[in-house]
Amino acid sequence: MPKNFQIIPASERVLSLRKKTMSSERYISIGQAKIITRVYKENGDLPVILKRAYSLAAALNEMPLAIDPEELIAGNRTPDIRAGVVFPEAGLAWLEKEIETLPSRPQDPFGIRKEDVILLKDSIAPFWRGKTLEDNIYNAYGNELSSIEKVVKINQKDHAQGHICPDVEVWLRLGPSGLLEIAREKVKIAEGEKRSFYEAVSITLKASCNFINRYSELAVLMAKEEQDPVLRKNLYEISVTCKRLSEGPAANFREALQSVWFLFVILQMESNASSFSPGRMDQYLLQYYKDTDPDTALELIDALFVKFNQIVYMRNAHSARYFAGFPIGFNVTLGGVDSEGNDATNELSYLFLKAQDHIRLPQPNLTARLHKGSPPEFLDECSRVIGLGTGMPQVVNDESIIPSLREAGISQEDAINYALVGCVELSTSGNYLGWSDSAMFNLVKALELAINDGVCMITGNRIGPATGKLENFSAYEDLEESFRRQIDFFTDKMLSACNVVEEFHRRHLPSPFLSSVMNNCLNTGTDITAGGAKYNYSGIQAIQGANIADSLAVLKKLVFQEPIIDKSELMEALRNNFEKKEPLRQFCINRCPKYGNDVEWVDELGAKWIKYFASGLKKARNYRGGPFHMGLYTVSAHVPMGQNVGATPDGRLARTPLADGGMSPMYGRDKNGPTAVLNSVARVPSHLASNGTLLNMKFLPSLFRNETDRSKFTSLLKTFITLPIHHIQFNVVTSEDLRSAKADPDSWKGLTIRVAGYTAYFTELAGDLQDEIILRTTQGENE
Amino acid sequence: MSKISGTVFKIKRFSIHDGPGVRTSVFLKGCPLNCVWCHSPEGIGSDISIWYNKNVCIACGKCVDVCPQGALMLTGEPEKYISIDRRLCTTTGDCVEVCPTSAIQFTGWVTTPSEVICEIEKDIPYFKTSGGGITLTGGEPLYQPDFAFEILSMCRERGIHTAIESSLFCPEEVIRQISDKVDLFIADLKIFDPFVHRQHTGESNLLIKKNLTFLVSSGKKIIVRIPMVKNITDTEENINSILGYAGSLSKNIPVEFIEYNPLAGNNYRRLGIPFPLDNLNKES
Ligand code: SF4
Ligand code: SF4
């Protein structure tokens, strides 16, 4: 632990940067879209990978730059802070429709400049029509996608994949100039596609050096004009730092942080995607930290934390409602074990936690890796910061995750070096394209079809195979058979659809710059989208175990075993959304145990189907030749997913949200306290979820009010390490406060909440999502 | 297998204010005292009855239909609720069986030490990391001495830390017997003056003091707790007397002050009995 780091205050400078960042007005920016469009027009017949490389290079060479004289870490993809960057190759359809309403939409609005709208409508959009990733996927496969969409939502159709932990270590060690040398050597002997690949990589790396150097030049110019001696000195330092980084690797802590930031800026300029994650920063930065004193280091980290909030990801109106506050997934992972299996926590781990205490913004997404040898001080510091109520750090469990990754086919060396990307997705460092969130599979909808002969209860349309009705099943096993058939039917369709989407990514969005920092792309001359990474997974989310367990428990116990509830009466009630059947609904809720209460037979009902689902994913390989595997995290999709599902036997009403998270019990139905929740969650086969899991828990702030009480929370973390559970994140807030915040958003602007793998401002979330968060059980609230 | 059984009215996991670490508190039903401020009146009587939570009742009337005694009635305008004629109720439980919301429930259940242990064992991993264990409380846990003894012994066999929260109002031999199985006594000392004690709890506290003295002399780990009841236990005089008394017994007895639970009135309403403190508060 660094000495006295607890009492280092946030400097005025970083607080001022923080303020400016969060209060700056957001505009939509089409500067880069113009450049990309021009390059594509000029180079119509080049291979896509070269068009992409030249576009990125042109943006790096031409985009206007800005430096705030106060900032310690410079760089952004636009001169405006938090601009909504338009990125045409992936898809423009939504923007064409929504551009005029961007400034007035309720969630995450963006200002627009009139001339930009005209330019977009008249010259940019028409060129791209029919050429984007999205348009091509829909033309080729649209009907198939919409035929399964109620059960399976295929993702990544209109933006680049992201969700990657690049090899930051190699970037720091070699710098863009060092990587460029390698690529240039390779070009000489490569042929065909590989030659284009290496050329493309070289083009983007050369432009990256130039981009960084442009900051150096700008800083000098500004320094000459600057009157304030402190700011002038800072500008000179920026200039020197950038100059050195444009020519070689990072040599000290400031250069290293600056270099990391440039990497992520450029990755965003190439892909404009959610979730490029820096990974284990406390590990790879340690060698640069050595001679830095903690105060200086912490201020630099604070400054970088502010920077993480300056790039936002503009979403369409619908998804902005559920991903309010621009979760962009700069996930920083701390602690964990080293290659020998020893504790890897170091001084930087504590400084990063302290930076969270200082800055308290939605980004970065902070994750603490815990394991049996985590030092007590680290656990306690994690608890303390969690108690601040910012929802961070989330905690993950090495003891559960490393074996799970091994089981999924990852080497021991790589598994030990895992980090989180985006929200909660697991990844190795620098060699893994996990294609997270490839698709979401709504098991609850599949169960609805399984008891209703494949017919959607909301629309009355047939969408699945006719596998029988509950009324006609004579035993619980008949129901299981029907469920199995629905799952199989949609799994097959889903896997084919995922591969179609991936193929189009390869055709439209090869990413040479990203490939340059991903093992083994550079060695093998293969782009990341073509399978150049050492590991090529595709993550599919199973949604939602809690509702499956709860619904099957009611069916098994109350309908088949006892039987207290009549099949036709239940089906009738479900089809009519329990209208005039409130007693029956209450009976389903209260008279049958629920997942999350440590009732083994109920938990096992859910676990069985999670296992079944995971095994179905083994039926195919993905487009890049790797395996499909399961994730148990919904982010905030449990709300829109719930809108597709009719009333369920667990007493949930039609169209209301499903359970949150992925591993969490249905909100308000876990009544036996946090230990019971953890015991239930431990029965879910997390080891099969090598793509990641998500458990939300909400605690009262009073649990953190003194050291004795906090130590009881810490002991929960200690037990967590002994359980087969990958992940937990915590909200520390009272339901009362949340209710007040919903009613009076103006007074609660600063209230951040952990939604699902990311933190957002509570008052900016969609109303139905707010309600669901309020209803989540608060541990300690009911006596 | 022993044939001992007992009555429990609540088992609370992740109990964090009843001794060290994370604990499971087991609430044993029945109490020889009758404190006017008691915040779990459902734990006073040894017998099991029914109680009713109006807040979750949906006024479906199913309970009324099944009651063989005609003890239930749907009443109230415009918000309907169930009124219970407790003189007619013979605790058949038909209403509990059909109630879809669990608005009507039994006030406790008869169980065996093994069943209780099953529940306790679920949290052993949390006891281990936190230095926690179980706490028997109530009601008055020592009012069911054999049951309590058996549970504590079984915990001991499993290496689970044992605490008991008690008024210590029990025969001396009960204390003597059970103290071997208890790692920590949390003694509720409410009122120092024996007469005032009798006035508010129905009994004098001489036995309590005797038992406490015995525990101190046998070197047991003890925490003294004072529930802070307005104008009754929280007077300066009472607190000072208790502090002085505890100090005179031993220098290392920590004294804790327990905030009074402002929601206690709800439990009386659910039982359909008046809350004595309500009247007291009004008088004062
Ligand atoms: S059965 Fe339950 S919910 Fe229905 S009226 Fe009686 S107490 Fe209320
Ligand atoms: S317990 Fe039996 S007698 Fe008493 S109210 Fe309920 S149904 Fe009637």
Side-chain angles (χ1 to χ4, degrees):
Chain A
M1 230 183 344
K3 252 208 212 136
N4 296 333
F5 76 100
Q6 282 294 11
I7 53 172
I8 306 174
S11 71
E12 269 172 43
R13 178 199 294 252
V14 295
L15 291 178
S16 150
L17 288 167
R18 179 189 189 281
K19 195 161 165 221
K20 280 186 267 185
T21 295
M22 297 317 281
S23 59
S24 62
E25 255 182 85
R26 289 186 302 258
Y27 277 93
I28 151 170
S29 162
I30 62 163
Q32 203 182 336
K34 272 197 303 202
I35 293 171
I36 297 171
T37 310
R38 187 193 77 216
V39 174
Y40 267 65
K41 277 184 184 163
E42 284 168 1
N43 297 286
D45 38 7
L46 279 184
V48 178
I49 194 165
L50 286 171
K51 281 195 264 192
R52 293 261 296 159
Y54 282 123
S55 310
L56 174 60
L60 292 167
N61 295 332
E62 297 169 27
M63 280 299 287
L65 311 181
I67 299 173
D68 182 321
E70 272 194 308
E71 68 187 359
L72 298 168
I73 309 283
N76 204 333
R77 57 176 175 170
T78 50
D80 291 349
I81 291 177
R82 290 164 76 78
V85 172
V86 177
F87 207 77
E89 296 129 289
L92 271 179
W94 77 265
L95 191 65
E96 269 197 272
K97 266 183 251 150
E98 295 183 18
I99 186 152
E100 266 102 7
T101 52
L102 272 180
S104 58
R105 68 185 198 180
Q107 257 84 37
D108 298 346
F110 284 88
I112 47 174
R113 299 180 182 95
K114 259 221 187 86
E115 62 276 18
D116 285 353
V117 180
I118 298 171
L119 215 79
L120 183 88
K121 291 214 148 179
D122 293 355
S123 55
I124 297 178
F127 170 79
W128 288 100
R129 239 167 260 148
K131 295 194 186 70
T132 65
L133 172 77
E134 185 186 19
D135 294 350
N136 278 284
I137 290 177
Y138 274 101
N139 289 342
Y141 217 64
N143 291 341
E144 185 68 14
L145 291 176
S146 54
S147 77
I148 56 172
E149 69 186 1
K150 290 273 188 286
V151 178
V152 176
K153 183 162 176 282
I154 304 289
N155 293 321
Q156 328 298 359
K157 302 189 296 286
D158 57 1
H159 50 85
Q161 156 65 16
H163 290 89
I164 272 192
C165 204
D167 191 346
V168 187
E169 204 181 321
V170 86
W171 168 265
L172 285 172
R173 186 154 38 86
L174 301 177
S177 53
L179 289 167
L180 178 59
E181 259 171 55
I182 297 177
R184 280 183 172 154
E185 281 305 306
K186 295 273 192 182
V187 176
K188 291 183 193 155
I189 46 167
E191 285 166 18
E193 243 183 74
K194 288 192 196 297
R195 190 179 173 86
S196 308
F197 170 77
Y198 286 122
E199 275 173 13
V201 169
S202 309
I203 292 164
T204 60
L205 288 169
K206 182 165 171 256
S208 300
C209 296
N210 184 46
F211 180 64
I212 297 171
N213 188 48
R214 287 174 66 211
Y215 276 96
S216 172
E217 286 168 359
L218 175 63
V220 174
L221 285 179
M222 289 173 68
K224 286 185 181 142
E225 305 279 304
E226 181 60 58
Q227 302 301 316
D228 182 317
V230 176
L231 298 181
R232 188 163 59 236
K233 177 161 174 279
N234 182 50
L235 285 165
Y236 276 123
E237 272 174 54
I238 291 180
S239 172
V240 172
T241 304
C242 294
K243 184 87 211 153
R244 296 173 57 122
L245 292 177
S246 71
E247 292 167 351
N252 58 40
F253 196 62
R254 180 168 181 162
E255 286 179 17
L257 287 188
Q258 177 67 69
S259 171
V260 171
W261 180 240
F262 275 130
L263 169 62
F264 285 89
V265 170
I266 300 169
L267 285 170
Q268 284 296 345
M269 289 175 79
E270 180 177 56
S271 292
N272 185 46
S274 170
S275 304
F276 284 109
S277 295
R280 304 185 77 185
M281 295 193 85
D282 60 347
Q283 302 306 307
Y284 59 69
L285 285 175
L286 189 63
Q287 55 167 311
Y288 302 93
Y289 167 69
K290 269 195 224 115
D291 307 320
T292 326
D293 72 279
D295 294 55
T296 313
L298 183 52
E299 193 185 22
L300 285 162
I301 297 169
D302 285 350
L304 180 66
F305 271 38
V306 172
K307 269 317 222 190
F308 282 132
N309 291 278
Q310 289 192 352
I311 292 185
V312 301
Y313 180 59
M314 184 168 62
R315 293 177 157 84
N316 65 33
H318 177 78
S319 83
R321 292 181 65 222
Y322 298 101
F323 295 90
F326 316 104
I328 191 166
F330 287 121
N331 203 323
V332 173
T333 303
L334 306 173
V337 292
D338 65 14
S339 52
E340 265 95 60
N342 299 319
D343 178 56
T345 312
N346 59 44
E347 293 203 2
L348 282 176
S349 322
Y350 292 92
L351 293 181
F352 272 89
L353 285 174
K354 187 65 191 171
Q356 175 60 25
D357 183 353
H358 281 167
I359 303 301
R360 303 192 194 190
L361 287 176
Q363 294 294 323
N365 196 357
L366 208 55
T367 305
R369 273 179 57 173
L370 306 182
H371 63 101
K372 289 202 172 115
S374 292
E377 313 86 72
F378 185 63
L379 290 172
D380 186 54
E381 183 58 10
C382 287
S383 296
R384 193 187 68 78
V385 177
I386 288 168
L388 301 173
T390 61
M392 290 191 254
Q394 56 181 350
V395 294
V396 291
N397 179 3
D398 283 8
E399 312 293 341
S400 161
I401 289 173
I402 293 171
S404 169
L405 294 174
R406 296 282 290 130
E407 194 182 325
I410 287 163
S411 77
Q412 177 71 10
E413 190 193 354
D414 286 320
I416 274 182
N417 204 17
Y418 81 91
L420 270 75
V421 297
C423 299
V424 300
E425 299 90 306
L426 304 172
S427 170
T428 59
S429 298
N431 56 14
Y432 184 98
L433 175 52
W435 211 278
S436 285
D437 200 14
S438 246
M440 299 184 181
F441 193 105
N442 193 337
L443 284 165
V444 192
K445 186 71 185 178
L447 180 61
E448 173 185 317
L449 300 178
I451 57 175
N452 201 34
D453 201 30
V455 173
C456 169
M457 279 201 196
I458 292 181
T459 60
N461 297 335
R462 161 167 312 285
I463 53 176
T467 55
K469 284 186 179 145
L470 182 67
E471 289 96 322
N472 305 329
F473 298 150
S474 52
Y476 180 72
E477 289 65 36
D478 297 345
L479 160 69
E480 290 196 301
E481 180 54 29
S482 175
F483 193 24
R484 203 168 287 135
R485 286 175 58 198
Q486 295 291 345
I487 294 177
D488 291 349
F489 176 82
F490 285 101
T491 300
D492 292 345
K493 292 193 172 273
M494 171 179 72
L495 298 178
S496 320
C498 287
N499 284 347
V500 170
V501 169
E502 281 212 26
E503 190 184 339
F504 278 102
H505 272 257
R506 180 186 180 171
R507 282 199 222 155
H508 289 265
L509 299 175
S511 306
F513 177 74
L514 169 59
S515 302
S516 77
V517 284
M518 290 301 293
N519 294 315
N520 296 321
C521 298
L522 216 45
N523 275 340
T524 59
T526 316
D527 188 80
I528 183 92
T529 57
K534 178 173 177 190
Y535 295 108
N536 285 289
Y537 286 78
S538 287
I540 310 272
Q541 296 176 48
I543 294 169
Q544 200 70 302
N547 301 97
I548 292 298
D550 292 355
S551 294
L552 289 177
V554 168
L555 292 167
K556 185 166 194 186
K557 177 166 185 274
L558 303 183
V559 176
F560 285 102
Q561 266 169 8
E562 298 200 348
I564 304 182
I565 299 178
D566 178 67
K567 289 177 205 144
S568 345
E569 190 192 353
L570 179 65
M571 285 307 290
E572 170 94 18
L574 294 179
R575 291 187 189 112
N576 294 310
N577 195 19
F578 288 107
E579 214 167 283
K580 301 214 177 75
K581 287 283 181 188
E582 186 60 15
L584 177 62
R585 185 173 95 88
Q586 289 296 336
F587 207 90
C588 293
I589 294 175
N590 296 300
R591 304 308 297 262
C592 187
K594 299 282 177 282
Y595 168 74
N597 293 289
D598 202 358
V599 178
E600 193 171 347
W601 71 268
V602 177
D603 301 341
E604 295 297 347
L605 283 181
K608 174 176 173 175
W609 290 100
I610 295 293
K611 213 184 258 167
Y612 183 74
F613 179 76
S615 68
L617 300 181
K618 302 269 170 286
K619 284 190 277 192
R621 304 288 283 183
N622 69 20
Y623 176 72
R624 288 161 289 131
F628 287 96
H629 64 162
M630 180 175 63
L632 295 168
Y633 55 91
T634 354
V635 192
S636 38
H638 61 294
V639 179
M641 285 263 155
Q643 283 163 359
N644 285 335
V645 185
T648 35
D650 57 355
R652 182 193 136 275
L653 291 171
R655 298 176 183 275
T656 57
L658 304 174
D660 64 87
M663 306 291 279
S664 316
M666 183 67 172
Y667 37 91
R669 305 233 170 121
D670 50 322
K671 311 244 185 224
N672 289 343
T675 60
V677 170
L678 291 177
N679 286 1
S680 278
V681 172
R683 294 195 181 101
V684 179
S686 286
H687 66 104
L688 298 174
S690 37
N691 183 218
T693 69
L694 195 161
L695 171 63
N696 278 311
M697 292 181 99
K698 199 160 85 177
F699 281 86
L700 284 182
S702 57
L703 186 57
F704 298 86
R705 85 190 134 188
N706 61 46
E707 271 175 44
T708 316
D709 285 359
R710 192 170 83 214
S711 74
K712 305 204 176 184
F713 175 81
T714 308
S715 74
L716 279 185
L717 297 184
K718 286 188 199 150
T719 313
F720 158 67
I721 300 164
T722 69
L723 298 170
I725 302 177
H726 289 349
H727 162 277
I728 319 179
Q729 58 183 21
F730 303 95
N731 277 310
V732 178
V733 65
T734 65
S735 306
E736 216 176 23
D737 284 351
L738 292 178
R739 275 192 206 97
S740 319
K742 191 184 176 203
D744 176 18
D746 286 343
S747 318
W748 292 84
K749 279 225 151 72
L751 176 66
T752 52
I753 191 94
R754 199 75 185 157
V755 180
Y758 66 91
T759 294
Y761 286 107
F762 181 74
T763 55
E764 289 183 358
L765 297 172
D768 42 0
L769 188 52
Q770 285 181 329
D771 288 336
E772 183 277 311
I773 292 170
I774 292 171
L775 288 176
R776 288 180 197 167
T777 307
T778 307
Q779 302 298 353
E781 206 154 66
N782 41 358
E783 309 159 86
Chain B
M1 272 313 275
S2 77
K3 298 237 165 49
I4 297 170
S5 68
T7 312
V8 167
F9 69 96
K10 186 157 85 183
I11 295 181
K12 186 185 173 203
R13 295 165 67 176
F14 195 66
S15 175
I16 51 171
H17 293 126
D18 285 318
V22 168
R23 314 191 70 81
T24 296
S25 294
V26 182
F27 294 73
L28 271 51
K29 202 163 148 48
C31 180
L33 300 179
N34 224 325
C35 307
V36 290
W37 59 78
C38 179
H39 56 79
S40 25
E42 74 277 23
I44 300 177
S46 295
D47 52 326
I48 294 170
S49 57
I50 54 165
W51 64 336
Y52 169 65
N53 184 355
K54 196 171 145 184
N55 294 339
V56 301
C57 171
I58 54 169
C60 65
K62 287 192 189 288
C63 52
V64 179
D65 296 344
V66 298
C67 177
Q69 302 294 323
L72 302 174
M73 203 169 70
L74 197 56
T75 128
E77 269 313 325
E79 240 173 80
K80 294 216 175 309
Y81 65 94
I82 294 295
S83 85
I84 307 173
D85 189 338
R86 291 179 181 271
R87 291 163 308 178
L88 297 179
C89 171
T90 53
T91 326
T92 63
D94 297 71
C95 53
V96 175
E97 191 71 17
V98 297
C99 175
T101 60
S102 300
I104 294 191
Q105 284 182 331
F106 288 121
T107 52
W109 67 97
V110 175
T111 180
T112 61
S114 324
E115 277 176 357
V116 173
I117 290 292
C118 269
E119 200 55 31
I120 291 168
E121 281 179 333
K122 292 178 177 172
D123 280 354
I124 287 181
Y126 307 89
F127 303 157
K128 280 203 177 128
T129 56
S130 68
I134 70 136
T135 302
L136 290 188
T137 176
E140 168 51 62
L142 297 179
Y143 206 45
Q144 299 184 57
D146 297 341
F147 184 50
F149 184 86
E150 195 59 28
I151 296 175
L152 294 170
S153 311
M154 291 173 82
C155 286
R156 269 293 170 77
E157 282 161 21
R158 289 159 179 76
I160 298 172
H161 179 272
T162 56
I164 193 159
E165 192 206 7
S166 162
S167 68
L168 302 186
F169 186 78
C170 67
E172 289 170 72
E173 57 276 16
V174 167
I175 284 285
R176 274 166 208 274
Q177 247 182 21
I178 213 155
S179 68
D180 267 0
K181 304 286 178 196
V182 180
D183 296 315
L184 169 69
F185 277 90
I186 303 172
D188 282 325
L189 277 199
K190 308 153 205 294
I191 295 169
F192 184 72
D193 185 297
F195 296 102
V196 185
H197 194 276
R198 184 191 293 279
Q199 187 193 336
H200 287 293
T201 70
E203 300 285 350
S204 143
N205 61 10
L206 293 178
L207 186 57
I208 293 173
K209 287 177 181 162
K210 210 164 178 186
N211 282 334
L212 185 60
T213 314
F214 165 76
L215 287 177
V216 173
S217 69
S218 58
K220 278 280 144 189
K221 217 168 169 220
I222 301 168
I223 296 175
V224 163
R225 271 188 179 177
I226 313 177
M228 301 305 279
V229 187
K230 206 171 155 217
N231 298 337
I232 302 179
T233 61
D234 75 348
T235 63
E236 217 183 310
E237 189 195 340
N238 186 48
I239 291 174
N240 285 338
S241 310
I242 295 180
L243 285 174
Y245 174 64
S248 75
L249 289 176
S250 156
K251 291 275 160 291
N252 357 318
I253 301 183
V255 178
E256 293 177 354
F257 303 94
I258 302 302
E259 271 169 55
Y260 191 70
N261 177 1
L263 300 176
N266 286 341
N267 291 339
Y268 285 86
R269 247 163 277 143
R270 290 175 63 180
L271 280 173
I273 54 177
F275 181 25
L277 216 55
D278 257 352
N279 301 330
L280 269 179
N281 285 343
K282 268 172 218 145
E283 280 163 31
S284 64

